[in-house]
Amino acid sequence: MAGKTDVAKQITYLAGALKAPRITEAAARMADQARDAGWSFEDYLAAVLEREVSARNASGAELRIKAAGLPSRKTLEDFDWDAQPATRQQIAALASGGFLLEAQNVVLLGPPGTGKTHLATALGIVAARHGHRVLFATATDWVTRLTDAHRQGNLPRELTRLRRYGLIIVDEVGYLPFEQDAANLFFQLVSSRYEHASLILTSNLPFSGWGGVFGDQAVAAAMIDRIVHHADVLTLKGASYRLRGRGIDSLPSIRTTTDETPG
């Protein structure tokens, strides 16, 4: 008995020295199971370490999700696929996380209330669970952030820092027009991430309407060119889920956004 106690104390000490205190619990919990099942020393060690790695990954993902600034905790499992069946296969492919390793972008276009922000948020959670740092903000908030950095003379440093995030989510492109300076700053954000790290953008406007948002057709064209060069573009359709059961069939912007094909 004394021998087992000494070994348990040693494991506790070593786990603490490794800053892996969960190893103590896993080792104790699995010891009897290993003996009863006749595991080899290697099998037992691998099982204990696997529990520690899984716990660390889960803990790290949770921290990344909390740090991302997501507007809510919406997942792909929560999404109403019956309302957007055409996107299901593409989103399922994106959920593997492969697009992040290849610095590819995702663009979600469609009328208000069709699930663009939900899907962007859910893919952000997927990215965090795959080990990537994520940052979410509306297009207006991103411009404010970049403007502040520019005024302080820190824009290059800020863009470099943001490139360390595997995924940046830009929500609500097109809801408010940008001044020329703001449009140029947003263009620099897109350019700095081109072929380096991923973007997810949502917009209620087709690409043909982005010139009006950024106040310059040339800037909009150059930006779209960089965004879609390596991107999945998904178009969501239909009426807003927020209007269901309220006797309202459409919003003023829906007709203008669905009558055009993004391109």
Side-chain angles (χ1 to χ4, degrees), residues 163-238:
R163 273 177 54 179
R164 297 174 190 152
Y165 287 80
L167 175 63
I168 279 180
I169 301 173
V170 183
D171 198 27
E172 299 181 350
V173 176
Y175 282 78
L176 293 173
F178 292 144
E179 298 291 338
Q180 185 66 54
D181 289 346
N184 289 334
L185 289 172
F186 192 81
F187 175 74
Q188 290 189 60
L189 174 64
V190 170
S191 296
S192 71
R193 298 184 66 79
Y194 176 60
E195 296 188 331
H196 290 286
S198 297
L199 285 165
I200 292 179
L201 303 98
T202 76
S203 179
N204 64 318
L205 296 175
F207 289 130
S208 59
W210 284 30
V213 175
F214 295 101
D216 188 310
Q217 294 291 345
V219 170
M223 190 179 314
I224 293 167
D225 181 64
R226 285 162 176 76
I227 291 170
V228 303
H229 183 208
H230 306 292
D232 283 277
V233 180
L234 290 77
T235 302
L236 282 67
K237 299 179 180 180

